[in-house]
Amino acid sequence: MKYSKRRLPTACITATGIAAALAAVLLIGVMEEDGDSGRTGRQEAVAERGRTVMPFDLEQTTHHFTPTEAGGVQDVVADQPDDAKQINLLRTHLQQEAKAFGQGDFGDPAQIHGETMPGLAELEDGHERVEVRYRERSDGATLTYTTDEPALVDALHDWFEAQLSDHGDHAETGHRPTSRAPGQAVTAHTARSEADSRKWTA
């Protein structure tokens, strides 16, 4: 009996140790899973909602947001410059968004980021005083927002910051110049784009 009494605490300690070890393994596994994506819970939710609104693949494209003195520039580009499928999908989407924004319809970003996203209400109210221009680039498309009103410039900057935060690794700050092949002539438009990039990413 004395022998069995001495063994009982040892058995309890062993069982406790095993349970603790298993808990540690599970915790490490959860931490590694979170670390693989590197995204917050909100960013994951935004990405999921984005897939129901944007037809292109967020894992194969990148948003670039660049604030300017008169508003901002939003580039959406394929990560692979020769990915014709993603380029066509994002171009179609941005053309539709440019038209919608010009009419004060910001329903898509509201659906993705929420009705209370910074800058959204101001842009909806002041849409007639914000010019939204669409243009294509070799690897995607660009929306350029310009306004003469400082309050709307601030709203655009806040709106950009909210999207940068919410999109996580699907977005970057700063204009990405259109890629030029070696020896390709520098057009006035390309030179202006590259100059803008240096100015706003410095």
mmCIF file of all heavy atoms in Angstrom, residues 5 12 22 35 48 53 67 88 110 117 121 130 151 165 169 171 197 199:
data_model
loop_
_atom_site.group_PDB
_atom_site.id
_atom_site.type_symbol
_atom_site.label_atom_id
_atom_site.label_comp_id
_atom_site.label_asym_id
_atom_site.label_seq_id
_atom_site.Cartn_x
_atom_site.Cartn_y
_atom_site.Cartn_z
ATOM 1 N N LYS A 5 0.791 4.294 -2.860
ATOM 2 C CA LYS A 5 0.528 5.685 -2.494
ATOM 3 C C LYS A 5 1.617 6.604 -3.016
ATOM 4 O O LYS A 5 1.377 7.738 -3.395
ATOM 5 C CB LYS A 5 0.414 5.826 -0.979
ATOM 6 C CG LYS A 5 -0.870 5.243 -0.391
ATOM 7 C CD LYS A 5 -0.930 5.452 1.099
ATOM 8 C CE LYS A 5 -2.236 4.907 1.667
ATOM 9 N NZ LYS A 5 -2.315 5.056 3.124
ATOM 10 N N CYS A 12 -0.085 11.339 -11.481
ATOM 11 C CA CYS A 12 -0.824 12.591 -11.704
ATOM 12 C C CYS A 12 0.062 13.645 -12.364
ATOM 13 O O CYS A 12 -0.347 14.366 -13.275
ATOM 14 C CB CYS A 12 -1.372 13.118 -10.380
ATOM 15 S SG CYS A 12 -2.674 12.086 -9.680
ATOM 16 N N LEU A 22 0.655 18.821 -24.816
ATOM 17 C CA LEU A 22 -0.294 18.822 -25.925
ATOM 18 C C LEU A 22 -0.878 20.213 -26.162
ATOM 19 O O LEU A 22 -1.046 20.651 -27.299
ATOM 20 C CB LEU A 22 -1.427 17.821 -25.636
ATOM 21 C CG LEU A 22 -1.053 16.342 -25.740
ATOM 22 C CD1 LEU A 22 -2.207 15.475 -25.257
ATOM 23 C CD2 LEU A 22 -0.685 15.988 -27.179
ATOM 24 N N GLY A 35 0.455 33.015 -38.586
ATOM 25 C CA GLY A 35 1.640 33.627 -39.161
ATOM 26 C C GLY A 35 1.776 33.358 -40.641
ATOM 27 O O GLY A 35 2.398 34.115 -41.362
ATOM 28 N N GLU A 48 -12.368 38.094 -47.920
ATOM 29 C CA GLU A 48 -13.477 37.195 -48.256
ATOM 30 C C GLU A 48 -14.614 37.967 -48.921
ATOM 31 O O GLU A 48 -15.186 37.516 -49.927
ATOM 32 C CB GLU A 48 -13.978 36.494 -46.990
ATOM 33 C CG GLU A 48 -15.035 35.441 -47.251
ATOM 34 C CD GLU A 48 -14.541 34.300 -48.119
ATOM 35 O OE1 GLU A 48 -13.333 33.978 -48.067
ATOM 36 O OE2 GLU A 48 -15.374 33.739 -48.871
ATOM 37 N N VAL A 53 -17.117 40.668 -54.618
ATOM 38 C CA VAL A 53 -17.349 41.934 -55.319
ATOM 39 C C VAL A 53 -16.399 42.109 -56.508
ATOM 40 O O VAL A 53 -16.819 42.515 -57.595
ATOM 41 C CB VAL A 53 -17.182 43.125 -54.350
ATOM 42 C CG1 VAL A 53 -17.273 44.456 -55.103
ATOM 43 C CG2 VAL A 53 -18.229 43.067 -53.251
ATOM 44 N N PRO A 67 -1.447 58.839 -52.568
ATOM 45 C CA PRO A 67 -2.063 60.155 -52.354
ATOM 46 C C PRO A 67 -1.319 61.215 -53.156
ATOM 47 O O PRO A 67 -0.098 61.144 -53.314
ATOM 48 C CB PRO A 67 -1.902 60.379 -50.845
ATOM 49 C CG PRO A 67 -0.703 59.563 -50.478
ATOM 50 C CD PRO A 67 -0.708 58.357 -51.382
ATOM 51 N N ASN A 88 -7.569 41.546 -67.845
ATOM 52 C CA ASN A 88 -8.878 41.827 -68.437
ATOM 53 C C ASN A 88 -9.966 41.935 -67.368
ATOM 54 O O ASN A 88 -10.837 42.813 -67.443
ATOM 55 C CB ASN A 88 -9.244 40.732 -69.440
ATOM 56 C CG ASN A 88 -8.414 40.802 -70.709
ATOM 57 O OD1 ASN A 88 -7.919 41.862 -71.076
ATOM 58 N ND2 ASN A 88 -8.245 39.663 -71.379
ATOM 59 N N ALA A 110 -18.191 50.027 -49.974
ATOM 60 C CA ALA A 110 -18.951 49.971 -48.719
ATOM 61 C C ALA A 110 -19.254 48.523 -48.349
ATOM 62 O O ALA A 110 -19.194 48.142 -47.171
ATOM 63 C CB ALA A 110 -20.247 50.769 -48.849
ATOM 64 N N MET A 117 -16.514 53.271 -43.365
ATOM 65 C CA MET A 117 -15.098 53.415 -43.680
ATOM 66 C C MET A 117 -14.745 54.894 -43.849
ATOM 67 O O MET A 117 -15.543 55.690 -44.373
ATOM 68 C CB MET A 117 -14.726 52.623 -44.934
ATOM 69 C CG MET A 117 -15.213 53.185 -46.248
ATOM 70 S SD MET A 117 -14.678 52.191 -47.703
ATOM 71 C CE MET A 117 -12.889 52.276 -47.566
ATOM 72 N N ALA A 121 -18.403 58.664 -46.686
ATOM 73 C CA ALA A 121 -19.575 59.555 -46.683
ATOM 74 C C ALA A 121 -19.270 60.867 -47.395
ATOM 75 O O ALA A 121 -20.094 61.388 -48.166
ATOM 76 C CB ALA A 121 -20.028 59.818 -45.246
ATOM 77 N N VAL A 130 -15.578 65.585 -57.611
ATOM 78 C CA VAL A 130 -14.398 64.732 -57.732
ATOM 79 C C VAL A 130 -14.392 64.103 -59.124
ATOM 80 O O VAL A 130 -15.355 63.429 -59.516
ATOM 81 C CB VAL A 130 -14.396 63.610 -56.672
ATOM 82 C CG1 VAL A 130 -13.168 62.709 -56.855
ATOM 83 C CG2 VAL A 130 -14.409 64.192 -55.264
ATOM 84 N N ALA A 151 -11.067 69.550 -48.494
ATOM 85 C CA ALA A 151 -11.782 68.591 -47.650
ATOM 86 C C ALA A 151 -11.972 67.253 -48.373
ATOM 87 O O ALA A 151 -11.890 66.181 -47.758
ATOM 88 C CB ALA A 151 -13.137 69.154 -47.229
ATOM 89 N N SER A 165 -5.022 49.640 -45.105
ATOM 90 C CA SER A 165 -5.063 48.903 -43.846
ATOM 91 C C SER A 165 -5.870 47.615 -43.975
ATOM 92 O O SER A 165 -5.454 46.553 -43.515
ATOM 93 C CB SER A 165 -5.660 49.791 -42.751
ATOM 94 O OG SER A 165 -5.819 49.075 -41.548
ATOM 95 N N ASP A 169 -1.663 42.517 -47.243
ATOM 96 C CA ASP A 169 -0.645 42.238 -48.252
ATOM 97 C C ASP A 169 -1.198 42.200 -49.666
ATOM 98 O O ASP A 169 -0.455 41.930 -50.615
ATOM 99 C CB ASP A 169 0.078 40.919 -47.937
ATOM 100 C CG ASP A 169 -0.863 39.722 -47.867
ATOM 101 O OD1 ASP A 169 -2.096 39.910 -48.005
ATOM 102 O OD2 ASP A 169 -0.369 38.595 -47.680
ATOM 103 N N ALA A 171 -2.343 44.954 -50.885
ATOM 104 C CA ALA A 171 -2.229 46.358 -51.286
ATOM 105 C C ALA A 171 -0.886 46.925 -50.849
ATOM 106 O O ALA A 171 -0.270 46.459 -49.894
ATOM 107 C CB ALA A 171 -3.369 47.182 -50.694
ATOM 108 N N SER A 197 5.926 58.576 -59.358
ATOM 109 C CA SER A 197 6.279 57.503 -58.454
ATOM 110 C C SER A 197 7.416 57.922 -57.546
ATOM 111 O O SER A 197 7.389 57.707 -56.337
ATOM 112 C CB SER A 197 6.679 56.254 -59.236
ATOM 113 O OG SER A 197 7.126 55.247 -58.380
ATOM 114 N N LYS A 199 8.254 60.901 -56.722
ATOM 115 C CA LYS A 199 7.822 62.005 -55.862
ATOM 116 C C LYS A 199 7.046 61.522 -54.657
ATOM 117 O O LYS A 199 7.265 61.953 -53.539
ATOM 118 C CB LYS A 199 6.952 62.976 -56.673
ATOM 119 C CG LYS A 199 6.413 64.143 -55.836
ATOM 120 C CD LYS A 199 5.602 65.077 -56.721
ATOM 121 C CE LYS A 199 5.035 66.252 -55.904
ATOM 122 N NZ LYS A 199 4.202 67.145 -56.735
#
